[in-house]
Amino acid sequence: MPKAEAQGFTREKLIDALNEDLSREYQAIIAYVNYSQVLKGAAYMNIADELAVHATEELDHALQIANHVDYLGGMPSVTPKLVKTSEDAEEMLRFDLENEKETIRNYRRRIRQADELNEFGIAESLRNIVVQEQDHLIALATALGIDPPNPGIAD
Ligand SMILES: [Fe+2]
Ligand SMILES: [Fe+2]
């Protein structure tokens, strides 16, 4: 395959994709700020504290992703993806779990794309972020009493 054809991914596409990731980080910040405070019930007190920690980690991720977008010459997005709310504790945790799965699926793909463009610094940053996202996934699965699901990798 000719080189141009093999390299279907471009820096412009990486900027757009990272901005989607940034919108997911904003969504995660908002969800964890809200859920950590409204989650009620003795059974959920530990996880509520943990969700507050997740909120600060998601902010750190958002800052890193925004930095990468700026470095690539793009404008960091300002729009969060839609945040679902619920009165039900278990439902809240399931929303979070689904979001973390989606986030991990996308970062796994993004690491490969950043590597493909020789943006190894960005790939390294994403690898560190995905370690924390996996911890979030494990914490939520544990709180729900299930095994951590395998999120797979995005197309
Ligand atoms: Fe995150
Ligand atoms: Fe997360």
Side-chain angles (χ1 to χ4, degrees), residues 63-116:
L63 288 166
Q64 289 184 60
I65 301 297
N67 178 261
H68 302 325
V69 171
D70 178 66
Y71 154 79
L72 289 166
M75 172 60 88
S77 85
V78 293
T79 317
K81 297 211 176 273
L82 184 76
V83 180
K84 292 184 190 168
T85 53
S86 174
E87 300 287 308
D88 181 68
E90 206 172 309
E91 197 171 42
M92 271 185 250
L93 294 173
R94 257 193 242 105
F95 289 155
D96 275 340
L97 186 74
E98 284 310 307
N99 287 343
E100 292 291 351
K101 278 170 66 180
E102 190 60 22
T103 295
I104 291 168
R105 276 167 49 76
N106 276 280
Y107 280 138
R108 284 176 173 179
R109 174 58 59 195
R110 214 70 66 236
I111 289 165
R112 292 190 168 226
Q113 291 165 335
D115 274 341
E116 191 183 326

Side-chain angles (χ1 to χ4, degrees), residues 121-137:
I122 293 177
E124 186 70 15
S125 155
L126 297 178
R127 281 184 167 84
N128 289 322
I129 290 174
V130 90
V131 171
Q132 288 196 323
E133 307 296 14
Q134 281 174 198
D135 282 344
H136 298 169
L137 182 88

